[in-house]
Amino acid sequence: MLSALAFNFCLLLLPLASAAALIVIARDHLYAYEYSDAGAHVVRERIERLNGELIQLDFDRQRQWDDLVSMELRAGDPQAARGFLLSGAGMLPNRSANVLTQAIEADASEAELEVAALQLLQPSTRQNYQQQVPLLSQRGAAIAAARPPDLADVQDFQLMARALLAEPETDPLQFVLVGFSLGLAGDLAPSMQRGAVALLASSRRDDYPASIRAEVDALVAAAVPIEAFRRAARESGGDPAAYENSAAAFRAAVVPEHAAQLREILAQLGAISDATSANTAAAMLTHAFVLADLQRLVLIARAGGDRAAAAAKRLPRDGRLLDTARGELTFTRDLVTAISLAAVAASVLVALVLFKLFQALRDAWLRMRAEDDEHGDYGAELIDISSSNWRPL
């Protein structure tokens, strides 16, 4: 009776303690995707293996790798071309890959790895690469490409404001992002500006996820309610679309709490853009399923760099790129307590099951012994044969 009570108690405690552990992790954001050198190395290897899956014919891996680099050069995408070049350790056949693997094990820099990989390209592809892509060892102060332009200026803001006032069905995303870039919802850091450029570019892609679109649209509508903007603009007394009136109406319509959330999204996209490029940030967003995935994408971009650019461009949107991120769990007192309770409950359950199994096996063994003893006595009476019972014929 006591063991049954303990079993039922632990059977209830185990899922409750496990759920509590998950709640603590989510509440305190204990599982974080933060950059570290060791974690970045693992992420790079995973991205290289994913890029290697783009090789279709195993017997001609080097030619296909060369073709991928050449294809990106013809497309005018230097980040993706360098990404495939640097991913050679995970894409090339063993003999060629060993050259890059040895360089990696010797702690070669990315610039040195690029030079080593260049020697494995066909001469024509190598020449095109050196002509079109600035080598990491030679970029110097020009390492950063030209900054992406602002989303729009004051005149464009006025035109979009007039369209929104005249056509209620107009998509407000670009209008809100332009308002943010003009500082109408608070100061916007340069990185956030680049994040806004990436978000707008991604929203215009055919592979822009519907789930991301829904989340972004909801956040934009919450940050700057368009009806509140229209009402404030029309109550200005002058031309509601004039910049002075539309800008004041925009400021009045901003909801600070939701505007801060939108700025955080732009900051994450800006971090991806800074680690790769604006085009890569737009492509990487298409690999997300929810906005919370941006945390993983930031880590992938920082760890993978141009490798991530190549993967984001060519890989299918099936979650494999997201899975390359490597997070770390931080243990707190609440989490340790919940895990300990779950571990104790699981241990007691296992112990009780083993004890009951032992009892069942022992009882079965005892019953078999008892049956053997009974059959042994009865059988002796039936087959008792002695020499005195034999009579010659």
Side-chain angles (χ1 to χ4, degrees):
M1 182 67 180
L2 185 61
S3 61
L5 180 62
F7 183 86
N8 290 330
F9 176 76
C10 291
L11 195 63
L12 179 63
L13 178 62
L14 178 59
L16 290 177
S18 302
L22 293 176
I23 291 173
V24 169
I25 292 172
R27 181 195 67 191
D28 299 337
H29 306 288
L30 299 181
Y31 192 79
Y33 296 92
E34 296 185 0
Y35 183 89
S36 66
D37 290 338
H41 179 71
V42 173
V43 172
R44 282 195 294 270
E45 287 185 340
R46 292 175 178 176
I47 295 174
E48 288 175 1
R49 286 196 295 269
L50 279 183
N51 286 336
E53 293 178 9
L54 296 172
I55 304 295
Q56 301 297 319
L57 301 176
D58 195 62
F59 65 85
D60 197 13
R61 298 184 68 86
Q62 185 149 353
R63 179 59 181 270
Q64 293 176 81
W65 171 73
D66 190 282
D67 288 344
L68 282 170
V69 175
S70 179
M71 190 183 307
E72 298 302 340
L73 292 174
R74 291 195 299 270
D77 191 340
Q79 284 81 22
R82 181 184 287 114
F84 284 125
L85 184 74
L86 296 177
S87 297
M91 301 178 70
L92 289 167
N94 292 335
R95 182 175 180 180
S96 299
N98 286 338
V99 175
L100 303 182
T101 302
Q102 291 173 2
I104 293 172
E105 292 175 350
D107 293 329
S109 65
E110 292 285 271
E112 293 170 336
L113 185 62
E114 181 184 33
V115 172
L118 274 174
Q119 309 311 312
L120 302 175
L121 290 174
Q122 293 186 14
S124 58
T125 306
R126 185 189 314 131
Q127 182 179 5
N128 291 336
Y129 185 96
Q130 292 172 326
Q131 290 175 350
Q132 298 181 39
V133 182
L135 296 180
L136 294 173
S137 58
Q138 300 174 357
R139 285 194 299 177
I143 189 171
R147 296 297 186 187
D150 292 336
L151 284 172
D153 55 18
V154 171
Q155 287 73 23
D156 293 322
F157 181 82
Q158 288 185 137
L159 291 174
M160 285 183 280
R162 193 176 303 279
L164 273 172
L165 291 168
E167 300 290 341
E169 299 302 322
T170 302
D171 184 5
L173 175 60
Q174 184 175 2
F175 173 71
V176 171
L177 292 179
V178 170
F180 270 65
S181 70
L182 294 175
L184 302 181
D187 291 337
L188 206 66
S191 179
M192 296 182 187
Q193 295 268 7
R194 292 187 285 276
V197 171
L199 177 57
L200 186 61
S202 186
S203 70
R204 293 171 174 171
R205 294 172 60 108
D206 294 335
D207 52 3
Y208 187 56
S211 57
I212 295 293
R213 184 184 299 277
E215 280 195 80
V216 169
D217 289 348
L219 184 55
V220 166
V224 185
I226 297 304
E227 285 304 319
F229 163 76
R230 289 194 182 102
R231 185 167 55 251
R234 287 166 179 160
E235 292 173 355
S236 61
D239 180 4
Y243 179 72
E244 293 77 9
N245 297 328
S246 58
F250 190 97
R251 291 191 183 96
V254 169
V255 179
E257 178 182 356
H258 297 296
Q261 295 175 1
L262 181 55
R263 280 197 295 272
E264 177 61 25
I265 297 300
L266 298 181
Q268 291 176 319
L269 283 169
I272 297 173
S273 179
D274 292 342
T276 53
S277 68
N279 289 335
T280 298
M284 290 187 71
L285 183 56
T286 64
H287 286 264
F289 297 105
V290 293
L291 288 178
D293 291 335
L294 280 173
Q295 188 182 19
R296 288 196 277 176
L297 291 176
V298 171
L299 174 59
I300 293 168
R302 292 186 61 193
D306 292 327
R307 296 174 180 84
K313 183 174 183 179
R314 295 289 178 179
L315 288 175
R317 274 65 179 165
D318 55 4
R320 284 184 292 166
L321 181 60
L322 285 173
D323 291 339
T324 61
R326 180 187 181 185
E328 296 183 357
L329 182 62
T330 301
F331 289 90
T332 62
R333 180 180 301 176
D334 291 343
L335 179 58
V336 170
T337 300
I339 292 176
S340 299
L341 288 175
V344 169
S347 300
V348 173
L349 285 174
V350 172
L352 287 173
V353 170
L354 292 176
F355 178 69
K356 290 298 183 181
L357 182 61
F358 168 76
Q359 282 187 324
L361 292 174
R362 186 192 63 179
D363 292 343
W365 183 71
L366 291 175
R367 284 194 300 271
M368 290 174 61
R369 287 285 303 272
E371 291 175 358
D372 287 344
D373 290 343
E374 292 176 1
H375 290 305
D377 295 341
Y378 181 64
E381 294 178 359
L382 290 177
I383 63 173
D384 184 21
I385 300 175
S386 63
S387 59
S388 60
N389 293 332
W390 292 94
R391 297 289 186 270
L393 296 176

